[in-house]
Amino acid sequence: MSLHRFGTVLTLATLAGCATQPASLFDPAPTQRVAIVPLITTPSPPLVNPLANSPRAAQTRAAVAAAERQQRLAQLKVPGYADRDRLLSQAQEAAREGNNPRAQSLARQAEGRASAAVAAQQTLEAATLLKALYDTTGLSDAQLASLRAAETQLVRGDNGTALQTLQGIKAVAEKPRPYRIRRGDTLSAIAARENVYGNSLLWPLLWEANKDTIPDPNRLRAGATLKIRPSPTVQQVVSAIATAREYPSRVRVGKVKTLPRR
């Protein structure tokens, strides 16, 4: 057999073998070993911002911190306050990304909006308290002077100082004074004292403030202590007089004097 014929026969045999044994998915796995490469379990180091310690980054952190403080104050002082535009959150996110100009701009906006909300709330509270104190009776000359000074502060825009002054006046005006009941006292007689109200018809003010210890205004216990509010409001005075005139009881209101006609 010649070499050419032998090669032809070998080629046909190889092709025949391939035709009779087609490749299949169910063929047994190859016996050759496959090397398994273990996964890398060591975490990769975090990305480090090379500008994290730069002066610009320090300014950004300070601006964001100031905005955070002012927002906490607004949430404490202003009912229902919320950063509706999420300015502070956006500033914090920009700071984490290293975008210092955007972070500082957003932080300043957030701080300014929170400061404006606090100032508006202080103005509202101060104006309301100022009106209430002007409707309060029995204020001393010093308290009236402080009241006028607080009004001037409010007009000038010094809302925080005005509010503190007014709150101080209110605290003194509402602080009760003690009075020890003596034998023979009546509520009307106590109310008529110059160092109390100077008007016997204001005895309902005493009763209202001491109902926990005086359920019946006609019966007082000697030695008991009354709480006297030194500065009732005008509305409280009007209501007390109306109650005193309509109260069907034996509460004595003092001797009624009739002035001679001229």
Side-chain angles (χ1 to χ4, degrees), residues 141-157:
D141 292 342
Q143 288 174 319
L144 290 173
S146 297
L147 193 61
R148 288 189 289 271
E151 184 177 11
T152 301
Q153 292 167 348
L154 187 59
V155 171
R156 292 176 178 175

Side-chain angles (χ1 to χ4, degrees), residues 10-21:
L10 181 60
T11 301
L12 292 175
T14 302
L15 293 177
C18 293
T20 56
Q21 296 181 2

Side-chain angles (χ1 to χ4, degrees), residues 113-130:
R113 184 166 299 184
S115 299
V118 172
Q121 181 66 23
Q122 288 178 338
T123 301
L124 176 62
E125 292 179 6
T128 303
L129 188 52
L130 180 67

Side-chain angles (χ1 to χ4, degrees), residues 237-248:
V237 169
V238 172
S239 300
I241 293 175
T243 300
R245 288 175 173 170
E246 297 175 1
Y247 196 77

Side-chain angles (χ1 to χ4, degrees), residues 226-242:
L226 296 180
K227 294 176 294 185
I228 300 175
R229 180 182 175 182
S231 303
T233 65
V234 172
Q235 184 58 46
Q236 288 172 330
V237 169
V238 172
S239 300
I241 293 175

Side-chain angles (χ1 to χ4, degrees), residues 16-217:
C18 293
T20 56
Q21 296 181 2
S24 172
L25 294 175
F26 299 100
D27 284 347
T31 58
Q32 182 180 2
R33 293 185 178 182
V34 178
I36 300 176
V37 180
L39 296 176
I40 299 176
T41 57
T42 304
S44 58
L47 296 176
V48 178
N49 185 355
L51 302 178
N53 296 321
S54 66
R56 182 69 64 85
Q59 295 173 358
T60 298
R61 289 192 295 270
V64 172
E68 290 171 345
R69 288 192 300 269
Q70 194 62 35
Q71 177 153 306
R72 285 194 297 268
L73 180 63
Q75 291 171 341
L76 180 65
K77 298 291 185 179
V78 183
Y81 178 80
D83 185 6
R84 293 181 175 83
D85 293 337
R86 298 181 64 253
L87 294 174
L88 181 56
S89 299
Q90 296 177 41
Q92 294 168 337
E93 181 64 25
R96 285 191 293 268
E97 294 173 353
N99 191 342
N100 293 310
R102 174 175 170 78
Q104 292 179 26
S105 175
L106 290 169
R108 286 192 293 268
Q109 293 179 55
E111 182 183 6
R113 184 166 299 184
S115 299
V118 172
Q121 181 66 23
Q122 288 178 338
T123 301
L124 176 62
E125 292 179 6
T128 303
L129 188 52
L130 180 67
K131 181 180 182 304
L133 288 172
Y134 269 130
D135 290 338
T136 298
T137 66
L139 295 179
S140 65
D141 292 342
Q143 288 174 319
L144 290 173
S146 297
L147 193 61
R148 288 189 289 271
E151 184 177 11
T152 301
Q153 292 167 348
L154 187 59
V155 171
R156 292 176 178 175
D158 193 357
N159 308 320
T161 304
L163 183 59
Q164 290 179 356
T165 302
L166 294 170
Q167 289 173 340
I169 298 173
K170 178 183 178 182
V172 174
E174 292 183 347
K175 184 178 181 179
R177 296 197 315 261
Y179 177 86
R180 191 176 182 83
I181 299 175
R182 306 169 188 173
R183 187 176 298 277
D185 269 343
T186 63
L187 289 182
S188 59
I190 297 172
R193 294 178 180 274
E194 290 299 327
N195 61 346
V196 182
Y197 297 130
N199 189 334
S200 60
L201 289 177
L202 296 182
W203 65 262
L205 293 175
L206 299 174
W207 186 33
E208 185 67 28
N210 297 275
K211 279 187 176 180
D212 55 341
T213 57
I214 307 176
D216 186 351

